[in-house]
């Protein structure tokens, strides 16, 4: 028997288990792809081709109403490798999907516009404020976010204090970026609101109301600009047509790269 056979057997017995697949919680379709059972949501629509996308819930397939299910599944089989890969990458346990949990204590680093701001609790231990005060940014190299609370304060108090400041900064930053891009696009934002939506970074209504997730301020400025431009473009094109994407591209020529980066980022967990 060859000397290397036992090593191969040992390696195979310790093979790393496969990353689990993201499965749709409300499926109406089930299909075996590359030996893996995939639960997906099938939606019928007035369209000419079959579309598929991986959402935070799982695989969503959109197909023409006249197309038989057997042909839809044949198309999914041809895309099996792509589907399986994406469903593994989107599972909550995938390393790239893990979220940072913010630890609210003196000296922590707060993700802010693609960088980090150190946080300092600035009140002596003997002082006990009756409510959670607002934080403020102190200039310096680097700047410091000062929270007027004692070291060792309840993390919930620190979180509330920082979040109040953070949301104020988000509103101010979004307002400035909208003021920058709206005239170029020839649109007007009638109202800007902060959002805490779980499934989207922003939205725009026909009435000119734009909602942007306050947590975007954690990310690099160019990603914030992408979302701002995306929603402003919806004030001219309330769809995702070719004309819409051409409009986005006229402002952000590299929007595809930004779009992919935005899909990969994860909000830190505020506790």
């Amino acid at each position: 028997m060859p000397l290397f056979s036992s090593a191969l057997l040992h390696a195979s017995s310790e093979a790393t288990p496969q990353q689990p697949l993201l499965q749709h919680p409300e499926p109406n379709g089930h299909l075996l792809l590359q030996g893996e059972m995939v639960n997906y949501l099938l939606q019928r629509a007035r369209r000419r081709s079959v579309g598929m996308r991986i959402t935070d819930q799982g695989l969503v397939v959109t197909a023409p109403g006249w197309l038989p299910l057997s042909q839809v599944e044949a198309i999914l089989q041809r895309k099996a490798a792509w589907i399986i890969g994406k469903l593994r990458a989107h599972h909550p346990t995938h390393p790239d999907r893990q979220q940072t949990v913010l630890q609210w204590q003196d000296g922590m680093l707060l993700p802010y516009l693609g960088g980090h701001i150190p946080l300092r609790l600035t009140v002596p231990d003997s002082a006990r404020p009756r409510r959670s005060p607002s934080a403020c940014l102190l200039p310096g190299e680097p700047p410091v976010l000062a929270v007027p609370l004692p070291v060792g304060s309840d993390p919930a108090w620190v979180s509330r204090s920082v979040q109040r400041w953070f949301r104020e900064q988000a509103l101010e930053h979004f307002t400035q970026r909208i003021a920058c891009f709206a005239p170029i696009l020839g649109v007007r934002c009638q109202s800007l609101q902060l959002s805490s939506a779980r499934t989207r970074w922003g939205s725009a209504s026909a009435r000119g109301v734009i909602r942007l997730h306050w947590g975007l301020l954690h990310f690099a400025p160019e990603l914030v600009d992408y979302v701002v431009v995306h929603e402003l473009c919806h004030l001219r094109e309330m769809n995702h047509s070719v004309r819409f994407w051409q409009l986005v591209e006229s402002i952000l020529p590299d929007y595809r790269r930004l779009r992919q980066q935005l899909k990969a980022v994860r909000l830190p967990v505020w506790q």
Side-chain angles (χ1 to χ4, degrees):
M1 180 177 292
L3 294 177
F4 56 77
S5 60
S6 61
L8 288 176
L9 288 173
H10 180 71
S12 64
S13 67
E14 295 183 357
T16 302
Q18 282 277 28
Q19 180 71 32
L21 301 181
L22 178 65
Q23 299 284 6
H24 202 287
E26 298 178 354
N28 56 9
H30 314 273
L31 187 62
L32 193 65
L33 299 176
Q34 294 191 328
E36 299 270 8
M37 183 59 68
V38 173
N39 300 334
Y40 65 93
L41 177 65
L42 175 61
Q43 299 174 332
R44 295 290 185 170
R46 296 181 61 183
R47 55 180 297 154
R48 296 181 179 180
S49 60
V50 174
M52 59 194 78
R53 65 186 190 278
I54 309 298
T55 71
D56 285 340
Q57 290 191 304
L59 174 61
V60 178
V61 181
T62 309
W66 50 265
L67 191 67
L69 179 60
S70 59
Q71 293 187 35
V72 174
E73 292 184 341
I75 293 172
L76 296 181
Q77 290 289 356
R78 290 199 292 272
K79 295 288 187 178
W82 179 87
I83 292 172
I84 293 297
K86 290 294 185 181
L87 289 176
R88 291 201 199 286
H90 276 69
H91 195 276
T93 61
H94 193 279
D96 292 342
R97 299 281 293 185
Q98 297 302 298
Q99 293 175 285
T100 300
V101 179
L102 298 179
Q103 304 293 331
W104 299 107
Q105 58 191 8
D106 184 64
M108 71 163 286
L109 296 177
L110 178 70
Y112 182 79
L113 286 177
H116 292 85
I117 297 177
L119 184 146
R120 291 288 179 263
L121 302 183
T122 60
V123 174
D125 289 347
S126 58
R128 295 296 173 187
R130 295 181 180 180
R131 61 184 181 87
S132 180
S134 295
C136 64
L137 192 65
L138 302 180
E141 291 295 336
V144 171
L145 187 61
V147 182
L149 287 171
V151 174
S153 291
D154 185 337
W157 279 47
V158 182
S159 175
R160 284 195 294 269
S161 176
V162 175
Q163 186 172 138
R164 187 179 301 118
W165 174 85
F166 198 89
R167 291 172 70 98
E168 291 172 354
Q169 300 308 304
L171 190 60
E172 179 179 341
H173 186 83
F174 298 159
T175 299
Q176 292 174 353
R177 302 315 290 161
I178 287 174
C180 173
F181 293 116
I184 303 174
L185 290 164
V187 298
R188 184 176 180 181
C189 172
Q190 300 293 341
S191 174
L192 170 63
Q193 301 174 7
L194 296 183
S195 164
S196 299
R198 297 182 61 185
T199 59
R200 59 174 61 185
W201 295 118
S203 64
S205 75
R207 303 192 311 276
V209 178
I210 288 181
R211 295 179 175 86
L212 298 172
H213 199 297
W214 59 271
L216 282 167
L217 211 63
H218 284 301
F219 307 142
E222 61 180 0
L223 295 186
V224 179
D225 282 354
Y226 167 74
V227 179
V228 170
V229 170
H230 185 111
E231 300 310 331
L232 285 173
C233 287
H234 276 313
L235 299 184
R236 285 181 54 180
E237 295 286 339
M238 296 296 293
N239 51 56
H240 287 108
S241 63
V242 173
R243 286 186 301 179
F244 169 82
W245 291 113
Q246 288 173 342
L247 195 59
V248 174
E249 189 173 24
S250 70
I251 305 298
L252 300 173
D254 62 344
Y255 80 89
R256 292 180 180 85
R257 175 183 64 84
L258 299 175
R259 186 183 181 192
Q260 288 303 118
Q261 287 184 6
L262 190 63
K263 289 181 178 180
V265 296
R266 295 290 172 268
L267 281 175
V269 178
W270 286 61
Q271 291 183 334

